[in-house]
Amino acid sequence: MADLAIAQELNPALVLGKPGYADVTRKVAGIVEGRMPRVWYIAIACTGTLTLALAAMLAYLVTTGIGVWGNNSPVGWAWDITNFVFWIGIGHAGTLISAILFLFRQRWRTSINRFAEAMTLFAVACAGIFPLFHTGRPWRAVYWLFPVPNPALHIWQNFRSPLIWDVFAVSTYATVSALFWYTGLVPDLATLRDRAKTRGRKIVLGLLSLGWRGSARHWRHYELAYLLLAGLSTPLVLSVHTIVSFDFAVSVIPGWHTTIFPPYFVAGAIFSGFAMVVTLMVIARQVFNLKQFVTMKHLENMNKVMLATGLIVGFAYATEFFIAWYSGNRYERFVFLNRAFGPYWWAYWTMVCCNVFIPQLFWLKRVRTSVPAMFVISILINVGMWFERFVIIVTSLSRDYLPSSWGYFRPTPVDMLTLAGSFGLFLTLFLLFVRFLPMISMTEVKGMIAADSAHSGDRP
Amino acid sequence: MSERNPCNPVSLPGDEFPEGASVLDATSRRTLLKLMGASLGLAGLTACSRPVENILPAAKGVEDQIPGNPLFYATAMSLGGVATGLLVEAHDGRPTKIEGNPDHPFSRGAASAFHQASVLGLYDPDRSREVMHEGQPSAWDEFAAFAKGHFSAMAAGERLRFLSQTVNSPSLEAVRAQALNRFPQAKWIEYEPISEDEALAGAELAFGRAVRPIYHFDKADAILSLDSDFLALDSQTVGYTKDFAARRRVASEKDTMNRLYIVESQFSVTGAMADHRLRMRSGDVPEFVADLARELGLLPAGLNVLNNDPRRRWLAALARDLKKNAGRSLVVAGPRQPAAVHAAAHWINQALGNAGKTVTYVETPRRPQIAALKELAAEMAAGRVETLVILGGNPAYDAPADLEFSRFVKKVAVTIHLGVERNETGVLAKWHLPEAHYLECWGDARALDGTASIQQPLIQPLYGGRTAVETLALISGHKDQRAYDIVRNCWLAQWPGAHGEKTWRKCLHDGVIPLTASPRVEAAPDAKRIAAALAARRTATGIEVNFYPSASTWDGRFANNGWLQEAPDPMTKLTWDNAALLSPATARQFGVANGEVISIAAGGREIEMPVWIQPGHADQSISLALGYGRTACGHVGHGAGHDTYALRTSAAPHVVAGASVTRTDRTYKLATTQEHHSMEGRPLVREASLDTYRKQPAFAHKPDEKTNLFQLFPRFSYDQGNQWGMAIDLNACIGCNACVLACQAENNIPIVGKEQVMRGREMHWIRLDRYYGGPEEDPRAVTQPVACQQCENAPCESVCPVAATNHSPEGLNDMAYNRCVGTRYCANNCPYKVRRFNFLDYHKDVQEVEKMAFNPDVTVRMRGVMEKCTYCVQRIQEKKIQAQAEGRRALRDGKILTACQQTCPADAIVFGNINDPQSRVTQLKKQNRDYTILTELNTRPRTSYLAKLRNPNPELA
């Protein structure tokens, strides 16, 4: 979002080809107004099927019980909460790009922030399934977890429980992210409305764009609202995943009970979120020919963020090991040795390779700027991050204090199909977003080229 | 008013309402007033009611019964020919829970796992429900008609045979006598696969008569067990565990303990309690006993087979210890050891002066069973048996394989089988009659020393079943046909006169008939014969195979009892299956691992079994549990385990020598409840020798010395009112599973099935953790019962999002099932992992009749809800309400017994009010052996443990 009062040197690498306002509109709105490429239809057919599978698995789960998963005693949480933390983590990239980079005045965020913020919303939607459905009685949990008046039982929730904090954190996150995203969408929806050909489209877009006229007053309100929401969202980037990490940090289980979790989880969330953005963006810019707006500079910057957060995550792994040894606590020491050499060693080493070793390739500019390389690496990072949550949750529960209760967890096909189905839901929502809404913030990109075009004439 | 026609709508001047004029238009004022007066008078008629008809409720309730309050009845259950007195709790006219009878000399309030689970057998939906004639449903009347015709046609009954389980009932003996009187040529054979044949033969060898030893472990300071699991499967009575535990308990470092030596092949519960355990093949025990006899000077020191030093030292130290404790020592021989060993044990006991002190003898009517069955089978094969009446039992399944019982029973023209279930024998029989479960029948039974108890029914037979006594009475034309009459007359005959009725009622009430114990007899062993028998024993080489009863199915009769099938075997922790137990070295020798199937061949027979490695098992020896692999079993036991009777012959029913093992390339999944067997150095079961305890009385607290417990919030002061706590003495706990079954029965805990156990979802609220320590080949084993510790600072309470688990002011961690949404955070956060989650609807397939077993005082939890031990809060509340109703403010210690505490044969669990300085639990918690586990987490558990002590011989330490 350009500040017109301050003339800034445009970094030529951020928008290629010196487009004018009309070019931006034509390009981005054209995607929404035109026909989707065939690969979109194939993709949504696949992801739609997976989404249906998810619905079927959840129905099966609710009617039959948590026993259709592999959870047992002692591993009360397994893939369900791993998926929850995984999806919430992915959402953090969008908010960071939208809000934090905005406050830091990083111009390069403008062509990726809408995309990333949409991804956040869909990730949070996917994540939100799990806290509800992982309960044994979701038909009760759906309203007993929320602090609504409860005349029958006259009982509040237990506010000491991190799961209640989760309820507040995630619902706040979803709400604020949605508001922020929608606020940013309004001028773009107005653009689409103004270009709408059919009456139906005009009415729907007209309603959605809230009567945007583009007047100076509107712009002023818009910028103020955007700034406030960015300010609100910024602490959420840090707090939401901190709260999620408290699910573990507040417990007594060795491997969970550690103060490093808040920064560790937040760094990991940003890490996996950026990886997901890169994965999707690489495909989108190829399919929809957006290389002009999402340039190598953008991709390289995201890779650098991944490298940085990956280093933090790697450092956190090392710190955990060191502190476990340094503490002298036999249970703590055992947990970490067990992770590396116990029955789940394969999960642990997958995690370490994908999260610590492979991202180091981003030190090389050649790798950082190679689209195929970053695509593969970003996927591996997400695999690694899923395994990180799996390792934290399952290995710590599987072997804790009393060796008599040690037990192995094995996933069932329902577990696997549920995870795949959640990806289906995420991608379906994403494909719908790409179909119906401008995936690049025309407003903000135009704001970036405005300064440059100050000399180029008066094209609209 | 002028008269006018209301139908004429013509309006007249002066009429205010010309249309629809009022009805009373034609009425005069006078008439109106008359009508008003009449209606006022008649208004009172609405108060009239119909004529009163009094009905009277038929208030013929049960005397003493208040609906909702249970009643207790005394009865007895026989197992292995020995009865234990029980008290059965009945709700609304049906039995729901079994307890030991505090007044019975061999129960003293305790009940074993088999007793606790037997109530489920009553409500087994797969029980035999109707008379079957050649596979078609029939009726008792038809059988009666048949029997009348068939048996009255018989003269002396020389082709009639009766086959029953061990007869332990005076009334059955009486009817039997009368039946054999009626059919003088008929024969009566008793058979159970687990019997005392060798012990009888040993007594015959030693004393020349049939005597049974009764052990008095409470008087013994040094005990040697020769392959006898006398604390569990070879026990015959929970009284032995009580007595043993009494000498095991220590109040302070000034006390003494008994010392237990054991030689055995498989690692039994008794072996785990032993202070010194020598593992050896069952076939080598006779040699060992001979050497012991030499060491004690009873046999001339001859060719000493024991060459290797460790066993020599062991034997020498043992002999010295036994001699030192002459008169206070005890040698016990196991039922699977040959007669020579039993005889030698008698001889040694006599020589040590134990007779009359730690071991007494009573006459026993028992006779060897396998020989009799063998004779019967031969007769059946030769076609000399025309009618075979099988009163209970399952010989087609569990008779020795070489007798080919199921083959030859087809040669018998008329077989009549009376059984609780239509088992393998019932399917083959021409007539199958449903038997009454012991909880639904009148009967009587004898305890180990002959003390008799009357069995009274808690409920009418659910399916019209009849007892063996009634069936026999029907067949033999006894004058009394109903069990009640038979039993009553049998006993009233013993108490003639006016006080007979009163005595009868007292015996029913108490559950014990006084002065019925067999008198003690003196018996002197024949040393020469015993020496000769010992000399005649030859050690067998090669792999030996041992058969032992299953801790779950006994001999197979409980195969359809889901509670028992799912109760983990005390040592292996296997459920739903048996396995071939091998030592680690033997497994390495065969190159097999857990779950791999091997083929075991012996004596021309072969079976296939999955392997389970048992640390501490003797090398070159395999142990097989009996009672699995049943084919005609209900739906619960079907497919559970493998049939090991196929390898068991009449020549070698306990130990088979010279077996060979071959690997197959198949595997078989075994379900175990405990995957890890080492404490990993964690101070969970704290153990020391008695010597160490004396030097360091506070050894149990050493691991907690450096703990610095810091609490951010002020502690809640629990100094008011009742504060419940529990102390578990690890010195006494033997790990017998009685508490697990009692808890399951009391709290309506579901069974989940083998597949779910493999997934790790068993629902037991109390579990017995069994840990091995020491070298893998020859470890020690310890057992620790763990249930909800009711922590004052419970980690589970703070993390429940819906506040479904909270702390009561009396110190209990309360679980509100109806509030639980099932996030499982509480179970994750419990460091003791005592919480159980209903992952599926485990009550989905429970049939109507099974629901009668539920305890109505405890909620049955639905799917998706967390549950755990509540210190039997329903019992606490019941007693508190009672005390309040009776006006007593304080509850007496010992009034409230948790289910686990009440049934424990070793009295290892003590529950009570820790705010009461006089209560037993407070005394125990004050002992220096008392400690809590995971103290450093500052959970402040209300359950504490008393450290385990072993009493090793200083010479062998």
Side-chain angles (χ1 to χ4, degrees), chain B residues 16-150:
Chain B
E16 262 201 341
F17 306 101
E19 303 272 344
S22 141
V23 183
L24 286 180
D25 208 15
T27 320
S28 70
R29 187 191 305 140
R30 210 187 175 127
T31 318
L32 176 69
L33 284 172
K34 272 193 225 169
L35 284 171
M36 278 176 66
S39 60
L40 183 66
L42 286 171
L45 276 179
T46 54
C48 287
S49 51
R50 283 186 292 279
V52 173
E53 296 167 358
N54 287 316
I55 59 170
L56 287 170
K60 249 182 128 179
V62 176
E63 195 185 326
D64 300 324
Q65 169 130 13
I66 302 163
N69 279 7
L71 283 179
F72 289 82
Y73 294 92
T75 183
M77 173 175 160
S78 273
L79 189 63
V82 174
T84 306
L86 304 171
L87 275 186
V88 183
E89 181 178 5
H91 277 102
D92 297 331
R94 66 181 196 283
T96 54
K97 180 74 169 66
I98 308 235
E99 307 293 352
N101 185 346
D103 296 329
H104 192 273
F106 286 94
S107 163
R108 285 177 264 155
S112 74
F114 292 119
H115 300 133
Q116 289 292 343
S118 63
V119 71
L120 190 68
L122 171 65
Y123 301 115
D124 187 350
D126 296 320
R127 264 181 74 186
S128 185
R129 295 187 190 209
E130 52 197 349
V131 174
M132 298 290 274
H133 179 217
E134 286 175 351
Q136 297 302 315
S138 178
W140 277 103
D141 294 335
E142 290 180 34
F143 175 73
F146 163 82
K148 188 154 179 239
H150 184 80

Side-chain angles (χ1 to χ4, degrees), chain A residues 61-77 80 131 134-141 144-145 150 153 155-164 246-253 256 330-331 334 397 399-408 410-412, chain B residues 673-684 756 758-762 767 769-771 784 786 795 797-803 805-806 817-825 827-833 835-842 862-865 933-934 936-937 939:
Chain A
L61 176 75
V62 172
T63 51
T64 311
I66 303 290
V68 306
W69 288 342
N71 303 34
N72 62 11
S73 175
V75 185
W77 289 345
D80 45 354
H134 93 289
T135 57
R137 303 205 291 171
W139 53 92
R140 293 266 182 236
W144 280 356
L145 286 175
N150 193 347
L153 292 178
I155 184 169
W156 284 113
Q157 289 64 37
N158 175 15
F159 296 105
R160 293 154 75 199
S161 167
L163 294 183
I164 291 293
F246 282 168
D247 285 349
F248 312 109
V250 156
S251 82
V252 304
I253 302 301
W256 280 14
R330 63 152 55 91
Y331 303 111
F334 176 79
L397 286 177
R399 288 187 167 186
D400 65 336
Y401 289 101
L402 263 52
S404 59
S405 20
W406 288 1
Y408 197 70
R410 262 176 218 90
T412 63
Chain B
T673 57
Q674 187 176 341
E675 290 180 21
H676 200 81
H677 311 296
S678 158
M679 273 189 277
E680 300 289 330
R682 300 171 186 199
L684 301 168
Q756 293 290 304
M758 286 199 289
R759 280 236 173 246
R761 295 175 182 162
E762 65 276 3
R767 63 170 191 265
D769 293 341
R770 184 267 305 113
Y771 296 111
Q784 182 175 42
V786 178
E797 289 172 4
S798 48
V799 295
C800 173
V802 290
T805 182
N806 298 290
Y817 305 126
N818 48 358
R819 177 67 172 165
C820 175
V821 292
T823 62
R824 303 182 295 290
Y825 199 170
N828 289 340
N829 213 25
C830 174
Y832 307 98
K833 287 290 176 285
R835 284 173 161 270
R836 300 284 174 257
F837 185 67
N838 285 278
F839 282 97
L840 296 168
D841 185 359
Y842 295 125
M862 79 173 284
R863 152 172 83 90
V865 159
I933 47 178
L934 301 181
E936 66 266 33
L937 295 180
T939 48

Side-chain angles (χ1 to χ4, degrees), chain A residues 351-369:
Chain A
M351 166 185 110
V352 168
C353 286
C354 291
N355 290 347
V356 180
F357 300 138
I358 288 178
Q360 302 308 312
L361 290 169
F362 279 153
W363 284 108
L364 305 168
K365 184 153 177 110
R366 217 180 57 230
V367 177
R368 262 201 322 270
T369 51

Side-chain angles (χ1 to χ4, degrees), chain B residues 361-400:
Chain B
Y361 302 94
V362 293
E363 295 261 2
T364 173
R366 303 267 164 275
R367 296 292 171 266
Q369 295 185 349
I370 292 183
L373 186 69
K374 200 166 173 185
E375 200 189 307
L376 172 66
E379 288 187 316
M380 280 160 56
R384 287 206 295 276
V385 179
E386 190 202 32
T387 310
L388 178 62
V389 180
I390 308 173
L391 298 170
N394 197 359
Y397 166 72
D398 56 35

Side-chain angles (χ1 to χ4, degrees), chain B residues 244-461:
Chain B
F244 179 81
R247 282 295 294 128
R248 204 79 187 160
R249 246 188 295 280
V250 170
S252 75
E253 61 273 22
K254 301 185 189 58
D255 280 352
T256 56
M257 266 168 74
N258 59 14
R259 182 173 294 142
L260 173 62
Y261 298 84
I262 190 169
V263 292
E264 60 174 3
S265 58
Q266 74 131 343
F267 210 154
S268 70
V269 155
T270 311
M273 284 301 279
D275 300 299
H276 290 287
R277 180 174 179 268
L278 193 60
R279 61 187 185 109
M280 68 171 56
R281 292 143 42 96
S282 302
D284 293 340
V285 175
E287 280 303 322
F288 175 86
V289 175
D291 280 325
L292 178 61
R294 287 189 194 99
E295 201 68 34
L296 291 169
L298 297 172
L299 280 178
L303 187 62
N304 200 336
V305 181
L306 278 189
N307 287 327
N308 42 0
D309 262 12
R311 288 180 19 160
R312 190 70 220 267
R313 254 188 75 224
W314 207 90
L315 191 61
L318 165 67
R320 270 194 286 277
D321 205 0
L322 288 174
K323 274 202 283 220
K324 199 170 76 158
N325 286 297
R328 286 181 341 249
S329 55
L330 182 56
V331 177
V332 179
R336 291 177 296 284
Q337 286 299 316
V341 173
H342 287 266
H346 292 309
W347 189 22
I348 295 172
N349 277 328
Q350 291 274 348
L352 292 172
N354 299 330
K357 301 197 186 90
T358 59
V359 57
T360 54
Y361 302 94
V362 293
E363 295 261 2
T364 173
R366 303 267 164 275
R367 296 292 171 266
Q369 295 185 349
I370 292 183
L373 186 69
K374 200 166 173 185
E375 200 189 307
L376 172 66
E379 288 187 316
M380 280 160 56
R384 287 206 295 276
V385 179
E386 190 202 32
T387 310
L388 178 62
V389 180
I390 308 173
L391 298 170
N394 197 359
Y397 166 72
D398 56 35
D402 57 331
L403 299 183
E404 294 185 78
F405 192 90
S406 44
R407 180 170 151 220
F408 294 130
V409 80
K410 295 185 185 119
K411 283 189 158 188
V412 177
V414 175
T415 43
I416 300 164
H417 176 250
L418 174 75
V420 179
E421 48 172 1
R422 189 151 173 257
N423 54 26
E424 287 81 348
T425 311
V427 164
L428 289 174
K430 186 162 173 217
W431 283 95
H432 169 76
L433 311 170
E435 187 178 4
H437 191 269
Y438 83 91
L439 288 170
E440 2 168 82
C441 71
W442 283 101
D444 46 25
R446 290 194 194 282
L448 193 63
D449 68 348
T451 305
S453 304
I454 299 179
Q455 284 179 323
Q456 49 178 341
L458 277 285
I459 191 171
Q460 287 264 40

